[in-house]
């Protein structure tokens, strides 16, 4: 039993995870246009992200996006090898690829095959590797062999004996020598799962998803979000660059006379080394988008290639300088990276003008709690601030999140721009379906403020349920109108500030 005329893609860049080519083939068989670049972008592999301990990896599920392209479901363990073969025959008989997870340690065609280094690199002290099960796809089965597709990293398509496949399918948790591994994800025996497209993409839909992927990338990179969960913080986009810069400066200062504050130089080296991966994925997305969407994305793709080359040279400078211990090399490296971060930011600012900023992946609906609503409101206000920065030449410092000053002392907006922000945010509320009755929010005191920050605006916000009623809260404008008020009206275009209509 075998899928006829199965000719999958085999030329896969080495930095793609093993599951993406398999998901790509599954989506194609479901009738959806697909590409590796868009699959990676849909899970934000293009977005730099790291934990505060320097671990660089995608943290898609820590952000608040729905699955835009594909979703995995039914991830499970089957009861036995024989039960697994029954499921496999049924799946292939219906024309589908059967996805299985196991250990590359028992695949005869793989470099990891019974290789002691496979064990050693996962259990050695200080290892930065995560122990994860390996994905392969089965496209045929007979009495003696399984026919498997395993393009990353082995670039293999062909037969595997039933005995070898059985050992593979037992998974990493069947290898007792791997038990001491510190970093590991959920490991399974006889593991499998199903994958489906969240919506079948035709040519028009595929172009739209490419545009949304670019819009999301630009928005998240420039927002530079930091998310704290427990004692761990996670940095995204420009926040990773700023985290690297801060760590480098502390590293430099530590070597200038305060060794007690000197961070681990291995952490610095690892962080800089891993800065490349997300940019490789973005390069692929830009090239794919240029093919489908045309100019000027091809020009931005070429310019970004130069930025990637500079990141690679910065990493080489670090490695060579550490070995040779050249004079003032830390100062030189910090200067190089500082300029590179600034130039990359300017590149994003230019790209933003070429991509519709309202085109982003859909957000998850907020939980129906007070904190959930406030988080949703904060997100919408920040998105509206990005629009102001993009189209009205304002300079709201979005890297400060809810502490970004909007109005008054240190503020970036005048009264007209503040009202524009309120109207833009109201559109975001309607778009995201977040309008609810006022009773969901506490009644905050009506404060007369000299300053307005984003988090204060969010705290004041009252979403009303009737006939276009928008906002009512008091604030002063920059012209010192005493105790002015943004009055509740029945028309969104008739918001009044103080005693003068706007």
């Amino acid at each position: 039993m075998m899928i006829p005329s199965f000719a999958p893609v085999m030329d896969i860049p080495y930095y793609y995870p093993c599951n993406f080519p398999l998901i790509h083939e599954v989506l194609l068989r479901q009738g959806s246009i697909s590409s590796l670049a868009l699959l990676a972008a849909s899970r934000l592999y293009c977005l730099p992200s790291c934990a505060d301990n320097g671990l660089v990896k995608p943290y898609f599920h820590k952000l608040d996006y729905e699955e835009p392209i594909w979703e995995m479901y039914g991830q499970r363990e089957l009861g036995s090898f024989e039960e697994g073969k029954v499921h496999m025959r049924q799946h292939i008989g219906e024309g589908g690829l059967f996805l299985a997870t196991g250990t590359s340690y028992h695949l005869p065609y793989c470099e990891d095959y019974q290789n002691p280094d496979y064990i050693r690199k996962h259990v050695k002290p200080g290892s930065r590797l995560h122990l994860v099960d390996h994905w392969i796809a089965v496209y045929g089965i007979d009495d003696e062999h399984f026919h498997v597709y395993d393009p990353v990293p082995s670039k293999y398509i062909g037969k595997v004996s039933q005995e070898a496949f059985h050992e593979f399918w037992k998974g990493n948790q069947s290898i007792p020598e791997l038990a001491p591994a510190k970093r590991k994800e959920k490991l399974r025996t006889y593991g499998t799962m199903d994958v489906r497209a969240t919506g079948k993409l035709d040519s028009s839909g595929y172009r739209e998803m490419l545009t949304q992927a670019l819009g999301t990338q630009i928005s998240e990179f420039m927002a530079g979000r930091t998310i704290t969960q427990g004692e761990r913080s996670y940095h995204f986009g420009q926040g990773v660059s700023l985290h690297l810069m801060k760590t480098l400066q502390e590293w430099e200062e530590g070597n200038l006379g305060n060794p007690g504050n000197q961070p681990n130089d291995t952490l610095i080296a690892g962080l800089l080394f891993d800065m490349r991966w997300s940019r490789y994925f973005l390069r692929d997305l830009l090239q794919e988008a240029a093919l489908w969407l045309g100019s000027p994305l091809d020009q931005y793709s070429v310019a970004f290639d130069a930025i990637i080359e500079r990141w690679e040279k910065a990493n080489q400078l670090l490695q060579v300088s550490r070995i040779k211990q050249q004079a003032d090399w830390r100062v030189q490296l910090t200067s190089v990276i500082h300029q590179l971060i600034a130039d990359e930011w300017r590149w994003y600012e230019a790209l933003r003008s070429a991509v519709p900023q309202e085109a982003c992946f859909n957000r998850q609906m907020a939980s129906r709690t007070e904190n959930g609503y406030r988080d949703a409101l904060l997100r919408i206000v920040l998105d509206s601030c990005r629009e102001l920065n993009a189209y009205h030449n304002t300079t709201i410092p979005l890297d400060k999140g809810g502490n970004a000053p909007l109005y008054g002392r240190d503020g970036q907006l005048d009264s007209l721009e503040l009202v524009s922000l309120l109207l833009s945010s109201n559109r975001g509320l309607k778009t995201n379906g977040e309008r609810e009755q006022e009773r969901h929010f506490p009644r905050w005191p009506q404060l007369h403020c000299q300053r307005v920050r984003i988090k204060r605006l969010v705290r004041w916000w009252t979403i009303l349920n009737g006939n276009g009623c928008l906002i009512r809260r008091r604030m002063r404008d920059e012209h010192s109108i005493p105790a002015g008020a943004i009055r509740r009206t029945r028309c969104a275009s008739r918001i009044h500030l103080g005693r003068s209509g706007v």
Side-chain angles (χ1 to χ4, degrees):
M1 177 180 292
M2 189 177 302
I3 294 176
S5 303
F6 181 61
V9 60
M10 295 299 294
D11 187 17
I12 313 293
Y14 69 93
Y15 45 87
Y16 276 82
C18 61
N19 58 340
F20 280 1
L22 314 187
I23 295 166
H24 170 68
E25 295 296 334
V26 169
L27 297 184
L28 290 177
R29 303 190 73 79
Q30 293 177 0
S32 187
I33 298 178
S34 174
S35 69
L36 294 176
L38 184 57
L39 292 182
S42 73
R43 285 296 183 92
L44 304 185
Y45 273 65
C46 305
L47 182 68
S49 56
C50 74
D52 53 11
N53 63 354
L55 180 61
V56 175
K57 60 177 290 190
Y59 290 104
F60 173 77
H61 292 295
K62 297 188 184 299
L63 300 177
D64 49 359
Y65 290 98
E66 296 178 354
E67 297 282 6
I69 306 294
W70 61 277
E71 59 184 353
M72 183 171 59
Y73 65 100
Q75 196 166 12
R76 61 201 182 275
E77 289 184 325
L78 301 176
S80 67
F81 184 57
E82 294 302 320
E83 178 186 343
K85 289 196 290 184
V86 171
H87 283 273
M88 195 178 299
R89 290 180 183 277
Q90 178 181 355
H91 209 77
I92 296 173
E94 295 172 352
L97 289 171
F98 183 86
L99 304 182
T101 61
T103 176
S104 55
Y105 186 72
H106 287 303
L107 290 174
Y109 57 79
C110 185
E111 288 185 3
D112 293 333
Y113 182 60
Q114 297 181 1
N115 186 340
D117 284 340
Y118 180 78
I119 308 293
R120 189 178 303 114
K121 67 185 180 182
H122 285 99
V123 302
K124 67 180 181 181
S127 173
R128 300 171 67 243
L129 294 176
H130 270 70
L131 180 62
V132 298
D133 282 334
H134 181 59
W135 289 41
I136 62 175
V138 181
Y139 65 94
I141 180 174
D142 56 40
D143 291 339
E144 297 182 356
H145 297 94
F146 292 90
H147 298 262
V148 303
Y149 169 53
D150 185 5
V152 177
S154 300
K155 298 186 183 297
Y156 182 80
I157 183 169
K159 296 180 180 179
V160 174
S161 70
Q162 290 216 12
E163 294 79 6
F165 190 90
H166 191 183
E167 293 301 312
F168 154 81
W169 211 3
K170 290 179 183 178
N172 284 304
Q173 68 175 352
S174 69
I175 304 175
E177 294 86 352
L178 288 173
K182 300 297 183 182
R183 294 177 173 175
K184 62 181 72 174
E185 297 183 6
K186 174 67 175 178
L187 305 177
R188 290 179 170 85
T189 297
Y190 307 129
T192 187
M193 78 293 296
D194 297 299
V195 169
R196 62 189 170 205
T198 55
K200 187 181 294 185
L201 296 181
D202 57 12
S203 296
S204 176
Y206 185 73
R207 289 188 180 92
E208 173 61 24
M209 294 313 300
L210 285 172
T211 303
Q212 290 189 21
L214 286 172
T216 303
Q217 172 72 17
I218 295 167
S219 173
E220 287 292 346
F221 184 92
M222 301 190 76
R225 285 204 272 175
T226 294
I227 294 177
T228 300
Q229 295 181 350
E231 297 181 354
R232 182 73 68 208
S233 293
Y234 302 89
H235 307 284
F236 297 89
Q238 178 74 349
V240 179
S241 300
L242 297 178
H243 178 63
L244 172 62
M245 197 68 217
K246 178 182 177 182
T247 308
L248 281 168
Q249 290 170 344
E250 292 174 349
W251 189 36
E252 181 183 338
E253 292 168 0
N255 279 277
L256 290 175
N258 193 359
N261 290 334
Q262 180 182 349
N264 190 328
D265 62 349
T266 302
L267 185 147
I268 298 287
L271 185 60
L272 185 55
F273 178 84
D274 289 334
M275 291 288 278
R276 302 173 298 165
W277 309 126
S278 61
R279 290 162 177 85
Y280 290 170
F281 287 111
L282 179 55
R283 176 184 60 193
D284 295 345
L285 177 64
L286 287 166
Q287 292 173 351
E288 182 73 8
L291 288 174
W292 282 80
L293 304 177
S295 182
L297 292 176
D298 52 347
Q299 301 170 31
Y300 288 105
S301 177
V302 172
F304 194 69
D305 284 343
I307 290 176
I308 291 176
E309 184 177 357
R310 289 172 63 186
W311 277 110
E312 292 173 334
K313 287 183 177 179
N315 178 61
Q316 293 171 4
L317 173 62
L318 171 64
Q319 303 302 331
V320 172
S321 299
R322 289 175 66 194
I323 294 173
K324 295 184 176 181
Q325 289 296 305
Q326 297 171 341
D328 297 329
W329 67 269
R330 291 181 177 87
V331 176
Q332 180 186 3
L333 178 65
T334 301
S335 176
V336 166
I337 293 178
H338 183 273
Q339 185 61 52
L340 176 53
I341 290 173
D343 290 345
E344 186 172 43
W345 176 262
R346 283 190 285 271
W347 179 87
Y348 269 96
E349 286 184 319
L351 178 64
R352 182 173 58 183
S353 66
V355 178
Q357 287 304 286
E358 66 275 10
C360 290
F361 293 146
N362 290 333
R363 307 275 193 172
Q364 296 175 358
M365 294 296 290
S367 59
R368 299 297 183 184
T369 65
E370 179 180 313
N371 287 337
Y373 280 113
R374 286 191 191 159
D375 290 344
L377 288 172
L378 176 60
R379 185 190 70 219
I380 292 168
V381 173
L382 286 170
D383 287 343
S384 299
C385 289
R386 292 186 194 104
E387 290 185 16
L388 280 180
N389 283 349
Y391 301 116
H392 296 278
N393 295 319
T394 57
T395 55
I396 302 169
L398 297 177
D399 57 301
K400 296 184 178 180
N403 289 315
L406 296 177
Y407 180 85
R409 193 176 72 202
D410 301 324
Q412 303 297 316
L413 307 182
D414 60 26
S415 59
L416 293 177
E417 291 167 338
L418 183 59
V419 171
S420 296
L421 174 61
L422 296 175
L423 288 170
S424 176
S425 299
N426 177 69
R427 290 195 300 271
L429 288 167
K430 290 180 178 179
T431 300
N432 286 273
E434 298 289 346
R435 186 166 58 186
E436 294 289 340
Q437 294 181 357
E438 186 173 7
R439 61 184 174 82
H440 288 295
F441 291 88
R443 293 186 177 274
W444 298 92
Q446 296 198 6
L447 303 175
H448 305 304
C449 294
Q450 298 288 339
R451 293 185 297 168
V452 178
R453 295 181 185 275
I454 286 178
K455 63 183 179 182
R456 186 184 297 277
L457 183 63
V458 169
R459 191 167 71 238
W460 280 352
W461 205 294
T462 302
I463 306 173
L464 301 178
N465 181 26
N467 299 323
C469 295
L470 297 177
I471 302 162
R472 64 175 182 225
R473 281 296 181 254
R474 297 181 179 274
M475 61 184 68
R476 298 181 188 273
D477 70 4
E478 72 275 16
H479 302 297
S480 301
I481 296 175
I486 295 178
R487 295 203 304 268
R488 171 181 176 179
T489 80
R490 293 193 176 273
C491 175
S493 64
R494 290 178 57 230
I495 290 183
H496 296 273
L497 185 63
R499 293 195 177 97
S500 58
V502 177

